[in-house]
Amino acid sequence: MERIGQKIRELREDHQLSVDDLASQLGIAKSVVWGYESGKKQVSVSHLQLLADYFKVTVDYILERNQPTNQLDLIQFADLNSVNLVVDDHPLSEEEIADVTSYLQVKRRLKEDGMLQEKQAAK
């Protein structure tokens, strides 16, 4: 329970909210928020969902449950219909994905070249 409380406190502080502000936003008593953050009170399922929705995170994030990740190769990715990549609430087009991929490749090459030059200069 303490780790969940710490996660709730981190989220609240990251959003620059006081305990009073968060309690008011969620429609719960501030003593409940204090209880959760101190680990003295177990977070109810309904409040866990309220917190996740409010902070726009998953319940698993608050519970610190690891989610399996999927690797997505943007260069060899053929079926864009199965994934919806979004930036600023706008889906990315195939052209934008290609631009992002190219940008990242160039940036990585420049970084690698800079590191090589730093190593050679140090010798």
Side-chain angles (χ1 to χ4, degrees):
M1 278 193 297
E2 280 186 42
R3 287 294 308 148
I4 296 170
Q6 289 173 351
K7 184 60 78 174
I8 294 169
R9 182 180 301 116
E10 288 171 14
L11 286 166
R12 178 179 58 76
E13 290 174 351
D14 287 348
H15 286 79
Q16 301 174 341
L17 295 169
S18 68
V19 171
D20 290 340
D21 292 336
L22 180 57
S24 175
Q25 290 291 321
L26 298 177
I28 60 178
K30 63 183 175 183
S31 61
V32 172
V33 175
W34 279 326
Y36 292 160
E37 289 187 3
S38 67
K40 294 181 180 179
K41 184 168 179 55
Q42 187 172 358
V43 182
S44 70
V45 173
S46 61
H47 286 176
L48 192 58
Q49 189 61 53
L50 270 175
L51 288 159
D53 289 347
Y54 180 79
F55 290 118
K56 296 180 175 51
V57 297
T58 64
V59 170
D60 283 334
Y61 176 81
I62 296 172
L63 296 176
E64 295 187 330
R65 296 172 66 183
N66 294 332
Q67 291 291 314
T69 58
N70 295 320
Q71 187 169 342
L72 178 64
D73 186 341
L74 292 178
I75 294 172
Q76 296 181 6
F77 193 61
D79 185 15
L80 284 176
N81 295 327
S82 66
V83 174
N84 190 22
L85 300 174
V86 177
V87 173
D88 295 331
D89 295 327
H90 298 288
L92 295 179
S93 68
E94 288 185 41
E95 181 181 344
E96 290 172 319
I97 292 170
D99 290 345
V100 168
T101 303
S102 295
Y103 168 79
L104 290 173
Q105 289 172 326
V106 169
K107 185 175 179 180
R108 287 177 179 167
R109 279 190 213 116
L110 289 172
K111 186 176 181 180
E112 288 171 6
D113 289 346
M115 287 181 183
L116 288 175
Q117 289 174 3
E118 288 175 15
K119 287 180 184 177
Q120 289 173 350
K123 289 182 181 180

